[in-house]
Amino acid sequence: KGLLCRVHCMFRGASPPSLAESKEMSQTLKFIKRSYPKISAQEASQQKGFEVFKAKSAVICQELEDWYLTIRDVISFNAKAQAVLIAFCQQISKLRECNIHLMALFFELLAGYVKLQIAMQIVPHKERNIGAYIIAYENDQGKRDDNLPLVKRYMEEMMGNQDKAYEDRLWMTVTTLRHKCEAMVPIIRDSSKYLWNPIQRWAPATSMEKNRMFSILYDATKIVQPARTERYLELEFLNSFREWLQYALLVCPAALQEAEARSCLNKIISNYLCTPVFRSMTFDIAKTWDKTFWEFKCGHKSQGTKFFLKTHRDLVFKEAYTKANECALNHRSLRKYLQVQLRQYVCLFTEFPGLAAPKFQLVLALLKLSSDEIHWYFQHTRAQPLKAHKIGWIQNLTTDTSIIKLIAACCDLCQLVSKHAPLVKEYFIEYIRDIDAPKCEVQLKKFFDFCGGKIPKTQQDMMMKLLAQARGVNLGSNFQAIKLDFFRMTSWLSSTTSGIPFETAQPVLAVFSELYTHFSNVLRTEQQLVKNAKLGGILWYPDDLKETTKWTLTKPSLFGSSMTLLHILGHVKYDLDLKYCPDEQSYVIKASQKFGQFVLNQICKAVIQNFDNMYRAKYHLAGCGGLRTQIQKVNSITSKKKAGLHNDTLPGTESKYNGKGYFQVQQQAQSLGELLGAIRNTRQCQVFKVIYNTYDWLYEALDNHVYGVMGSFFAMGGDSSGLCRPSEALKRMRALQRTLTFVDQHLAINTSDIWRGNILKHFSNVSAGTIGQDLVVDAKSSAVIQKIGKFYWNLISHEIVGFNPIKMSFESRHVNQRKHKGDVNAEDYTSHAELKALCTIVGPYGVKAIQSVVLSNFTQNIVDMKKIISTNAVYLNQLDFVDVKSWWGNVQRVNEKDEFLQQAIQVGRYLQFVSILKSAQRSVQDDDIPF
């Protein structure tokens, strides 16, 4: 795993910064790539740009040192792995029965060995980077590395000529591996016979449902019984069986002489379109297999002659080539089935947590199958199908909306069982002591009585030691020692060299195998849960995860599972094996935090979108008579439909009072409620050392959105210069208030602070002195209240507007005298009801701000009047009301009398407007408490 992690780092960072960003060294790098493996620093020094390369030698060595050391470690690992595999084959060849635990160790090592070479072949720019490191190292250190011949030999033998096509290089790697793995053919041939049963049994997605493998409620007697160990181990290792056997047959094709091996290969190839190597690294194995069947020759066991495997090619590939769409649908139906079963156990264990212990083996198998299906989905989202099935494949694959539900159910079950891990451990401790230990004691007694002196003293002591550990098992037991003793004992019992009849040894093997599984459940409970529910690995598919996040948050039915994407980040530090490759830890931390921020931003956007939809639905409902009117209409329509008196096609049924607004509000409320409920259940999320508070992110997003919505309260559609009527703006405000209250009820967020803060920002004026010392409002914040004040100033100063003392409002005298399209009737904005609505929205601070705007313009009228009086002061002082003729003469000498009269009328209008505005404010304050 450590080497695969390091190779994946090479794959991810195939072009180091010093080589990718430098255009000056391009000629030197091209020469190195072209001349590899015959690398010569002297010839490279003659290339253009070598001086720059030489100056950066130390930096290049530092960046590419991991590449070179990784290849050296791969060479060392290959030598040791080949020796261990050969020794394994010698031991397994002596076994009379296939042991699933020993077979898992052997196949995992073999598959890892093969995958490591294929992963190295997938990494691009190997020859350029290794050549650049060798020359840079020689320039920097003045000598060549001692391991350079080994590295060159490995690159030539295993990787081949990098100028050839990728398929040809991969074929060379596979061919080289086949020569090294010839001794393993008999083991692969025998193992394929054992693996054929589980692979073909569980190939169809419906087989698990037919066999009721994860159904315990249909039979009450099976609810508290322990899960069957053997069958669920098969399901737990099912995907591993496929992967192991595929790689084993790839390097040991001679095993395909067996019909079971060819049938297994048929089922395996039908299950994949691209073969997973490690994390996001995949390759198309179909071309390699196709070439194998046409070119590889092996001895036929019955005829003893050479024959071409191409005679069996059509049989193996028929299903894979013709049923690509069925493969996608099969996995899709399996995901749905697993999702239902996972959700069933979440509900069951939540209500009855004690049942999690006896069904722990079932839970492990279910989590492992679900995790494998999730990884299969992300590995195949960008896979190309075989031949002409591309369109159908992509349609069936990318439109699967149940994947997020499966991830959510998997996370929920893993967290729930982890919560009750002490209960699981206590259950299996008692089970081992009270049931397994007595059963093991009885079988050992029979075994010792029958075999007598055939059993060596060492093996007897080992068996008695395991029995003693079963009697005294506790949480402090050494699991590694138990595991080692178990493998030694089972290997000896299964071996033909033991001299023990297999019929006699088989019951003891079965008892100890079950005992070993129960030991694992006690001592490695949390590790097994994390290992089987390995979801953090999908972080290596960032683009697909982002797409999944986006379309998840567009479907209301998936809102409840949306926060699962944050739960995945909690699995990262446990799932990605960072201990094997510390260098990638910084990258993983940054990628996890970046994805966490992306998810939170997308969730906030989805909340804002649904919040806005609900706000608009409530505003529309207010324009259709309100909630009570709509409910009455719905009840009336329902009763008429029951009586057969309502017909949707009749005229008048399309009225806005038809109840649709009510249903629209209910639908939007349900969608927003689902999303808020998911957020409520995940208040915080920790990604390594960074803690994300979802409430803080949502609070900030809501604050910004409410600020924008409030700024559009008085906006008029199609005319940005005018304002809508205050009563219309009040409807918008009420709709926004109710929507904010809905959010407060679900999340207990202090929306009153959001409301008050944005009201003060929009409907207050700093210059008016209406805000406390601790609140700072910038100039742009009060733009709305300034606009309202200027609108009323322009409205009441219009020449056709006058005050009506009967209605106590301003009105436009002649409607037909409106010269411009934007001219409005003053009564629509200055009536008592409209001004009450205005005061309700802007509050006392806003009223004072409007008054300050009006009075600031009113001051100019007073100045003009004073100027006229000062100009005519001489004549005004001579006015004598006793002598009419003298008075009239002085009056005739006074200038700008009409202008003075107009200014006086304007002052009267302003004072009257302030008076009725204050009156409306008092009426509002009698009913409501100002904010």
Side-chain angles (χ1 to χ4, degrees):
K1 285 184 178 179
L3 284 173
L4 283 171
C5 290
R6 292 166 64 181
V7 172
H8 186 265
C9 285
M10 294 167 57
F11 170 75
R12 183 172 41 81
S15 294
S18 61
L19 301 184
E21 298 175 0
S22 179
K23 296 182 180 179
E24 296 86 354
M25 298 187 300
S26 59
Q27 295 296 329
T28 303
L29 295 176
K30 289 180 180 179
F31 170 79
I32 293 173
K33 181 178 180 181
R34 187 171 58 252
S35 61
Y36 187 88
K38 297 179 180 180
I39 303 170
S40 174
Q42 184 176 1
E43 294 181 4
S45 62
Q46 300 175 4
Q47 303 300 315
K48 183 180 179 181
F50 182 78
E51 296 299 328
V52 179
F53 181 90
K54 187 175 182 180
K56 293 185 177 181
S57 293
V59 178
I60 294 173
C61 285
Q62 184 179 1
E63 292 179 349
L64 295 176
E65 184 179 14
D66 288 340
W67 282 68
Y68 188 75
L69 294 178
T70 299
I71 294 178
R72 282 175 45 184
D73 292 340
V74 168
I75 295 171
S76 177
F77 170 81
N78 290 346
K80 295 179 181 179
Q82 290 171 17
V84 173
L85 287 171
I86 292 174
F88 237 128
C89 289
Q90 295 174 356
Q91 294 296 326
I92 294 178
S93 62
K94 300 176 183 179
L95 301 182
R96 293 169 292 187
E97 186 186 44
C98 191
N99 187 302
I100 188 171
H101 300 286
L102 295 176
M103 184 181 64
L105 291 176
F106 170 74
F107 274 103
E108 189 169 5
L109 179 59
L110 176 59
Y113 169 63
V114 177
K115 287 195 291 185
L116 185 59
Q117 317 313 316
I118 295 176
M120 282 295 301
Q121 191 63 267
I122 294 175
V123 174
H125 307 307
K126 292 185 293 295
E127 71 285 0
R128 184 200 68 181
N129 293 346
I130 295 301
Y133 174 80
I134 292 171
I135 297 177
Y137 183 86
E138 186 175 351
N139 289 331
D140 189 49
Q141 302 293 331
K143 62 177 182 178
R144 288 198 170 190
D145 186 75
D146 296 336
N147 295 288
L148 182 59
L150 291 176
V151 174
K152 282 187 176 182
R153 190 182 310 123
Y154 172 79
M155 294 292 290
E156 292 176 6
E157 292 180 358
M158 193 69 72
M159 299 292 104
N161 188 354
Q162 299 297 306
D163 292 333
K164 292 184 179 180
Y166 168 71
E167 290 79 9
D168 297 333
R169 289 187 280 115
L170 186 61
W171 175 253
M172 179 181 177
T173 301
V174 172
T175 304
T176 306
L177 289 171
R178 286 171 181 173
H179 293 302
K180 298 178 180 295
C181 299
E182 288 179 355
M184 305 172 195
V185 173
I187 306 301
I188 306 302
R189 185 187 299 119
D190 295 338
S191 300
S192 63
K193 297 177 182 178
Y194 172 79
L195 295 177
W196 162 242
N197 287 328
I199 288 177
Q200 64 89 22
R201 183 188 297 125
W202 308 118
T206 56
S207 58
M208 297 182 192
E209 186 175 0
K210 289 180 180 178
N211 291 286
R212 293 179 172 178
M213 287 307 300
F214 299 108
S215 300
I216 61 174
L217 299 179
Y218 72 95
D219 189 353
T221 61
K222 295 184 178 181
I223 292 179
V224 295
Q225 292 181 357
R228 295 173 57 188
T229 302
E230 304 85 2
R231 187 57 58 86
Y232 288 112
L233 278 176
E234 277 188 7
L235 291 173
E236 187 175 344
F237 284 102
L238 179 60
N239 193 65
S240 299
F241 289 161
R242 294 168 177 162
E243 183 179 326
W244 293 341
L245 193 57
Q246 180 173 207
Y247 281 110
L249 291 174
L250 185 64
V251 296
C252 299
L256 290 169
Q257 296 175 76
E258 296 294 334
E260 291 86 354
R262 294 193 296 271
S263 300
C264 284
L265 184 60
N266 175 272
K267 296 296 183 182
I268 292 170
I269 293 179
S270 302
N271 188 67
Y272 297 103
L273 285 186
C274 64
T275 302
V277 178
F278 185 69
R279 294 178 180 168
S280 59
M281 301 173 70
T282 60
F283 76 103
D284 184 5
I285 202 173
K287 296 180 179 179
T288 305
W289 275 120
D290 200 32
K291 199 169 184 178
T292 299
F293 277 96
W294 283 103
E295 297 186 8
F296 186 77
K297 299 179 181 180
C298 60
H300 195 279
K301 60 181 180 181
S302 62
Q303 300 176 3
T305 60
K306 298 285 185 179
F307 82 106
F308 284 96
L309 283 176
K310 64 182 181 181
T311 57
H312 299 282
R313 174 182 176 278
D314 293 339
L315 174 64
V316 173
F317 282 93
K318 181 179 180 181
E319 187 173 353
Y321 275 122
T322 59
K323 298 182 178 180
N325 287 341
E326 291 186 14
C327 173
L329 294 174
N330 186 51
H331 281 276
R332 193 174 181 181
S333 60
L334 178 58
R335 289 193 294 269
K336 290 183 179 179
Y337 170 72
L338 292 174
Q339 172 203 330
V340 172
Q341 297 302 319
L342 285 166
R343 192 56 63 188
Q344 170 186 326
Y345 284 108
V346 168
C347 298
L348 182 65
F349 295 157
T350 302
E351 189 71 20
F352 306 102
L355 294 179
K359 300 302 177 185
F360 185 69
Q361 202 64 41
L362 179 149
V363 170
L364 291 179
L366 189 58
L367 288 175
K368 186 63 168 60
L369 281 172
S370 303
S371 176
D372 290 340
E373 281 301 311
I374 293 169
H375 283 84
W376 185 96
Y377 175 82
F378 284 103
Q379 286 166 352
H380 285 74
T381 48
R382 302 184 186 277
Q384 296 299 324
L386 300 175
K387 289 196 174 180
H389 304 283
K390 182 176 181 180
I391 297 177
W393 170 264
I394 292 177
Q395 289 177 347
N396 291 331
L397 186 63
T398 58
T399 56
D400 186 6
T401 58
S402 65
I403 187 66
I404 188 64
K405 292 184 178 181
L406 180 61
I407 296 174
C410 194
C411 285
D412 292 343
L413 183 60
C414 183
Q415 289 179 354
L416 182 62
V417 179
S418 298
K419 179 182 177 182
H420 300 295
L423 184 63
V424 174
K425 294 179 180 180
E426 183 180 353
Y427 169 84
F428 279 105
I429 287 175
E430 294 182 1
Y431 194 92
I432 291 173
R433 289 174 180 172
D434 300 339
I435 298 178
D436 285 342
K439 189 190 299 184
C440 184
E441 185 177 5
V442 171
Q443 291 295 334
L444 284 180
K445 184 178 181 181
K446 292 180 180 179
F447 182 67
F448 290 155
D449 292 341
F450 182 83
C451 296
K454 295 181 180 180
I455 306 174
K457 182 70 168 54
T458 306
Q459 303 300 333
Q460 288 186 9
D461 294 342
M462 192 179 300
M463 294 179 187
M464 296 307 296
K465 182 181 178 181
L466 284 173
L467 178 60
Q469 288 173 334
R471 289 172 178 169
V473 63
N474 55 63
L475 297 179
S477 300
N478 188 348
F479 177 75
Q480 294 298 329
I482 295 173
K483 180 179 180 181
L484 184 59
D485 290 342
F486 168 77
F487 280 126
R488 288 173 177 171
M489 188 268 298
T490 52
S491 299
W492 179 79
L493 284 174
S494 303
S495 176
T496 56
T497 60
S498 64
I500 306 296
F502 183 71
E503 295 77 8
T504 305
Q506 190 173 16
V508 180
L509 284 171
V511 170
F512 275 106
S513 179
E514 188 171 0
L515 180 62
Y516 170 75
T517 303
H518 293 166
F519 269 125
S520 301
N521 295 342
V522 172
L523 303 176
R524 302 182 70 247
T525 308
E526 293 84 356
Q527 293 91 327
Q528 289 191 87
L529 285 171
V530 171
K531 177 182 176 182
N532 288 17
K534 199 168 186 178
L535 298 177
I538 63 178
L539 188 67
W540 298 110
Y541 310 95
D543 295 335
D544 300 321
L545 266 181
K546 288 181 180 180
E547 289 298 321
T548 303
T549 304
K550 288 179 180 179
W551 57 252
T552 295
L553 294 172
T554 59
K555 300 180 181 297
S557 60
L558 303 178
F559 284 167
S561 306
S562 57
M563 298 303 293
T564 304
L565 297 164
L566 284 178
H567 289 302
I568 292 174
L569 299 177
H571 291 256
V572 171
K573 61 182 178 181
Y574 303 108
D575 295 354
L576 295 187
D577 303 322
L578 299 180
K579 61 182 179 181
Y580 297 116
C581 185
D583 293 339
E584 71 175 359
Q585 184 170 356
S586 59
Y587 168 79
V588 171
I589 292 175
K590 291 179 182 179
S592 302
Q593 293 173 357
K594 185 177 180 180
F595 180 68
Q597 294 174 3
F598 172 81
V599 172
L600 286 172
N601 286 329
Q602 292 298 318
I603 289 174
C604 290
K605 286 181 181 179
V607 171
I608 295 303
Q609 180 65 39
N610 287 271
F611 178 91
D612 197 51
N613 292 339
M614 186 175 178
Y615 158 66
R616 295 177 186 277
K618 284 185 175 293
Y619 171 65
H620 174 72
L621 183 65
C624 298
L627 182 61
R628 180 174 298 179
T629 302
Q630 289 289 298
I631 293 176
Q632 291 175 354
K633 187 64 179 179
V634 169
N635 294 335
S636 175
I637 292 175
T638 304
S639 60
K640 287 182 179 181
K641 283 185 176 180
K642 289 181 179 180
L645 301 177
H646 182 78
N647 189 352
D648 293 334
T649 61
L650 294 177
T653 55
E654 66 277 2
S655 169
K656 64 179 180 179
Y657 300 101
N658 56 7
K660 290 183 179 180
Y662 169 73
F663 291 115
Q664 187 178 7
V665 170
Q666 292 298 104
Q667 181 181 2
Q668 297 298 336
Q670 183 178 1
S671 299
L672 183 58
E674 287 282 343
L675 195 53
L676 296 177
I679 296 174
R680 183 178 62 248
N681 296 331
T682 310
R683 190 181 185 106
Q684 287 185 343
C685 174
Q686 183 172 357
V687 182
F688 293 94
K689 295 183 180 180
V690 179
I691 298 177
Y692 295 110
N693 192 314
T694 54
Y695 279 31
D696 292 343
W697 283 68
L698 184 59
Y699 186 93
E700 183 179 357
L702 277 176
D703 191 21
N704 294 333
H705 183 68
V706 169
Y707 176 81
V709 173
M710 282 187 177
S712 63
F713 273 171
F714 289 90
M716 287 187 65
D719 184 11
S720 58
S721 62
L723 296 178
C724 70
R725 297 175 61 176
S727 58
E728 192 69 19
L730 183 61
K731 292 179 183 178
R732 299 174 182 176
M733 187 190 78
R734 297 300 187 197
L736 184 63
Q737 276 184 326
R738 295 188 183 98
T739 310
L740 273 176
T741 303
F742 182 85
V743 175
D744 197 350
Q745 291 172 349
H746 279 74
L747 295 182
I749 290 180
N750 191 3
T751 55
S752 61
D753 285 349
I754 296 177
W755 184 263
R756 179 179 179 274
N758 285 289
I759 283 286
L760 289 175
K761 289 178 182 179
H762 278 299
F763 305 121
S764 59
N765 192 352
V766 179
S767 61
T770 57
I771 306 175
Q773 298 293 330
D774 58 336
L775 184 61
V776 178
V777 181
D778 57 8
K780 295 182 180 179
S781 299
S782 58
V784 176
I785 198 65
Q786 293 287 342
K787 186 176 181 179
I788 295 173
K790 290 179 181 179
F791 172 81
Y792 275 98
W793 159 267
N794 295 328
L795 180 66
I796 61 178
S797 61
H798 203 281
E799 58 184 5
I800 64 172
V801 174
F803 181 73
N804 189 331
I806 298 176
K807 296 181 179 180
M808 292 299 294
S809 67
F810 289 87
E811 63 179 5
S812 301
R813 293 191 183 92
H814 305 288
V815 179
N816 56 0
Q817 292 185 9
R818 300 178 191 170
K819 299 179 181 179
H820 305 287
K821 184 179 180 180
D823 291 346
V824 295
N825 187 3
E827 188 177 359
D828 294 340
Y829 291 85
T830 59
S831 65
H832 187 68
E834 294 294 338
L835 291 179
K836 280 186 65 177
L838 177 65
C839 294
T840 303
I841 297 173
V842 302
Y845 291 160
V847 170
K848 191 172 183 180
I850 294 174
Q851 181 181 352
S852 66
V853 174
V854 172
L855 291 180
S856 64
N857 293 277
F858 165 82
T859 305
Q860 185 61 39
N861 295 102
I862 299 297
V863 171
D864 293 341
M865 292 176 65
K866 286 183 177 181
K867 185 177 181 180
I868 294 173
I869 291 175
S870 62
T871 304
N872 298 278
V874 177
Y875 306 111
L876 292 175
N877 290 330
Q878 294 177 0
L879 289 177
D880 187 1
F881 292 95
V882 177
D883 186 357
V884 177
K885 290 183 179 181
S886 175
W887 175 83
W888 181 249
N890 290 325
V891 168
Q892 293 297 324
R893 295 188 184 94
V894 174
N895 299 318
E896 299 179 316
K897 294 187 291 295
D898 294 338
E899 180 65 21
F900 184 86
L901 181 60
Q902 290 297 327
Q903 297 294 342
I905 292 174
Q906 286 292 86
V907 171
R909 287 177 178 175
Y910 303 151
L911 294 176
Q912 192 62 51
F913 172 74
V914 172
S915 175
I916 60 176
L917 183 62
K918 288 286 187 180
S919 176
Q921 180 187 356
R922 288 191 294 270
S923 300
V924 171
Q925 289 179 338
D926 290 340
D927 300 331
D928 299 328
I929 299 175
F931 58 86

